[in-house]
Amino acid sequence: MGQTIRFGVSLDSTLLKQFDELCMKRGNPSRSEAIRDLIRQELVREEWENGAQPSAATLTLVFDHHRSDLAQKLTELQHESHESIVASMHVHLDHENCLEVLVLVGPAAQLRALADKLTAVKGVKHGELSLATTGDRLA
Ligand code: NI
């Protein structure tokens, strides 16, 4: 972390009012905190679009375990990419549906490709990749 620097921002009053309302709605304690969050979010997005830096993510999958070979196919694909998957959790959602959450670490582009591959397997009903960062690299 670097030192904290204060700087002024010129903003249209209507835009500032909308921003304050958004902060209130989201429970942000201050404008500064809200602006920091937005900056980090954009930097993470940029980092992910760039794709080469190591990143962390979670992938949530929902699938029907009654479909033949589906669970086996997902396990096989996960074993092929075991270096990117540092943890996984399996929940039997109901009689037919399973939910899996995978914690992924590696170059962003590689994680996105893995998520796309797992989500594309026939019978996967839902697949959502969520990007994560500590923000430390971005300071
Ligand atoms: Ni299950």
Side-chain angles (χ1 to χ4, degrees):
M1 291 283 276
Q3 68 177 117
T4 300
I5 295 173
R6 294 176 66 93
F7 66 100
V9 178
S10 304
L11 213 56
D12 175 84
S13 60
T14 309
L15 191 58
L16 182 60
K17 188 170 172 276
Q18 288 175 321
F19 184 65
D20 283 342
E21 283 167 7
L22 183 68
C23 291
M24 201 115 88
K25 195 173 142 197
R26 292 187 177 174
N28 274 100
S30 69
R31 280 181 189 155
S32 290
E33 188 55 42
I35 289 169
R36 276 194 290 272
D37 285 350
L38 287 174
I39 291 173
R40 278 193 205 103
Q41 202 176 308
E42 281 310 302
L43 289 171
V44 171
R45 197 193 309 269
E46 173 63 25
E47 198 178 297
W48 274 78
E49 276 164 15
N50 177 342
Q53 294 209 39
S55 302
T58 56
L59 174 65
T60 304
L61 298 168
V62 175
F63 56 94
D64 181 348
H65 83 108
H66 283 137
R67 290 191 75 123
S68 60
D69 299 337
L70 174 56
Q72 199 183 332
K73 176 77 181 160
L74 290 174
T75 303
E76 198 180 299
L77 288 173
Q78 289 180 42
H79 275 275
E80 281 173 15
S81 298
H82 66 90
E83 73 288 345
S84 303
I85 303 171
V86 294
S88 67
M89 179 174 69
H90 185 108
V91 177
H92 310 300
L93 269 188
D94 54 34
H95 193 65
E96 59 220 35
N97 294 296
C98 298
L99 177 142
E100 271 187 14
V101 179
L102 309 178
V103 178
L104 311 174
V105 173
Q110 195 176 303
L111 302 188
R112 195 191 298 270
L114 174 58
D116 287 345
K117 194 160 45 167
L118 288 165
T119 304
V121 174
K122 203 172 172 201
V124 173
K125 295 175 175 178
H126 173 87
E128 190 169 329
L129 184 67
S130 175
L131 325 177
T133 185
T134 59
D136 292 348
R137 260 193 329 276
L138 309 172

